[in-house]
Amino acid sequence: MKCLKIFFLILTAVTFAACSQKEDDLSGVQDIPGLGGDTWVPGSLDAWLHDTMTVPYNIEVKYKWDQFEFDVTKTLVPPKEEVVIPAIKAIKKVWIDNYIKAAGEVFFKKYCPKFFILSGSASWNDNGTITLGTAEGGRKVVMYLLNDFRTKEMPGYTKSDTATVKQIFHVIEHEFAHILHQTVMYPVEFKKICAGYYTGNWNNIADSEARKDGFVTAYAMSNESEDFVEMISMMLIEGKAGFDRIVNSIPEGSSVNGSSQAQAKERLRQKEAIVVSYFKASYNVDFYSLQDNTRKSIVQLLY
């Protein structure tokens, strides 16, 4: 113990001496990212984002890298500038335009998040899951995986890119649905449909297994609010026919939790009915019309 303490003192002295020799040398500090030196002259991309998102909707899109907008413990990369405009155009087509068509500009401007932060890569979690988007206080949405965003109009697009693009749309619809239900809470009846089946172990469950208990995705099993917004997001992204296929894909037999095929299907149909009723009663939105238009926009971009 005495030797260890002496070594620590010596190391401290050496470190202090090294710092003292350069205490007056501050050259290069102004170039450290995040400390005020990382400025740039706004270009055509900045002007396009300003005119397309900020002026009409008061939404700021931040694509220049700022580590402090993210979890500093994660290893991430910035988005490639060439994917920003195609991605934002697609998001506008699928999300903004269809909500405005369904509910009007006043509705959208009132409830839309005001800051979009873009990351080129996904954010991996310690439990092996991937965070593809987060929302903070209904005003800031962080979106990941932009560098893998490709629609059929972009160079190098293949059918395998469809899943990634749909997942990004899924994140936006999911986070916006959170804003809506945090403004007007969904009916308490929704919480009763799958009471007792929610679990923190959702990340070890496949979507196909979750559906056997009446959940549209495994993540929907995490809690009632995630269940509600996952229903909204999946119903919009997959469309009516796609959602019907999900319900009809539930096989005969029972789940590991004892749910029958009929029970699982009925739970999903009950949730569907509540979502449709909620949108009409809370925001005077015809959900099936919104769903149909959203799905058509996605098909135009990907198929």
Side-chain angles (χ1 to χ4, degrees):
M1 181 66 71
K2 184 175 181 180
C3 292
L4 181 61
K5 190 176 295 184
I6 292 172
F7 174 77
F8 174 76
L9 291 173
I10 292 173
L11 180 62
T12 302
V14 170
T15 303
F16 177 77
C19 292
S20 298
Q21 292 172 4
K22 295 185 178 181
E23 62 182 0
D24 295 326
D25 182 9
L26 299 179
S27 61
V29 171
Q30 68 274 14
D31 297 322
I32 298 176
L35 294 183
D38 51 333
T39 58
W40 74 95
V41 177
S44 58
L45 174 54
D46 302 280
W48 186 88
L49 290 171
H50 178 77
D51 294 341
T52 304
M53 299 294 281
T54 308
V55 172
Y57 312 116
N58 196 27
I59 297 174
E60 178 185 351
V61 179
K62 188 172 183 178
Y63 67 94
K64 289 291 186 179
W65 190 247
D66 182 352
Q67 179 65 57
F68 297 104
E69 294 285 5
F70 306 95
D71 183 342
V72 296
T73 67
K74 306 292 186 181
T75 301
L76 303 167
V77 301
K80 298 175 183 177
E81 292 192 8
E82 60 265 28
V83 305
V84 174
I85 288 180
I88 295 300
K89 279 184 176 180
I91 289 168
K92 182 178 182 299
K93 179 182 179 71
V94 170
W95 173 54
I96 297 177
D97 292 351
N98 286 314
Y99 261 105
I100 288 177
K101 184 176 182 179
E105 283 195 9
V106 173
F107 164 90
F108 184 77
K109 290 178 182 178
K110 181 177 181 179
Y111 297 113
C112 71
K114 301 306 179 186
F115 300 97
F116 272 71
I117 313 299
L118 308 183
S119 168
S121 57
S123 178
W124 286 89
N125 304 310
D126 293 338
N127 62 2
T129 61
I130 302 176
T131 298
L132 293 175
T134 58
E136 297 180 12
R139 289 301 168 202
K140 172 182 171 181
V141 172
V142 181
M143 297 194 61
Y144 301 89
L145 213 61
L146 263 292
N147 287 347
D148 290 340
F149 187 97
R150 292 184 187 85
T151 64
K152 67 181 183 181
E153 297 176 352
M154 297 173 67
Y157 171 78
T158 64
K159 288 185 177 180
S160 62
D161 295 320
T162 298
T164 298
V165 176
K166 283 174 62 179
Q167 187 61 51
I168 290 174
F169 293 148
H170 181 122
V171 167
I172 295 171
E173 301 290 3
H174 178 109
E175 300 302 347
F176 189 55
H178 271 309
I179 294 173
L180 296 181
H181 89 70
Q182 288 165 3
T183 303
V184 180
M185 190 60 179
Y186 52 86
V188 67
E189 288 76 17
F190 187 92
K191 298 182 178 182
K192 300 176 183 178
I193 296 172
C194 282
Y197 290 90
Y198 295 100
T199 174
N201 194 42
W202 65 268
N203 55 297
N204 293 317
I205 301 172
D207 286 347
S208 57
E209 290 301 310
R211 288 165 184 164
K212 292 179 182 178
D213 282 317
F215 294 95
V216 71
T217 64
Y219 187 48
M221 300 183 77
S222 58
N223 61 60
E224 295 90 343
S225 292
E226 298 300 340
D227 189 5
F228 185 69
V229 300
E230 278 290 277
M231 279 292 299
I232 293 170
S233 182
M234 287 293 289
M235 287 170 68
L236 290 175
I237 298 306
E238 296 300 334
K240 184 69 169 65
F243 179 73
D244 288 345
R245 282 194 294 271
I246 288 174
V247 175
N248 294 328
S249 71
I250 300 171
E252 294 182 357
S254 298
S255 73
V256 294
N257 294 314
S259 301
S260 68
Q261 179 193 51
Q263 287 175 319
K265 288 184 175 183
E266 177 60 22
R267 288 167 188 163
L268 283 170
R269 292 303 184 188
Q270 288 177 9
K271 292 176 184 180
E272 177 187 16
I274 288 178
V275 165
V276 173
S277 174
Y278 167 85
F279 268 77
K280 187 64 177 178
S282 301
Y283 298 106
N284 195 30
V285 169
D286 181 338
F287 186 86
Y288 283 130
S289 177
L290 173 64
Q291 181 185 43
D292 183 54
N293 289 327
T294 300
R295 179 61 185 177
K296 285 178 179 177
S297 297
I298 293 173
V299 169
Q300 291 170 6
L301 289 167
L302 299 177
Y303 301 98

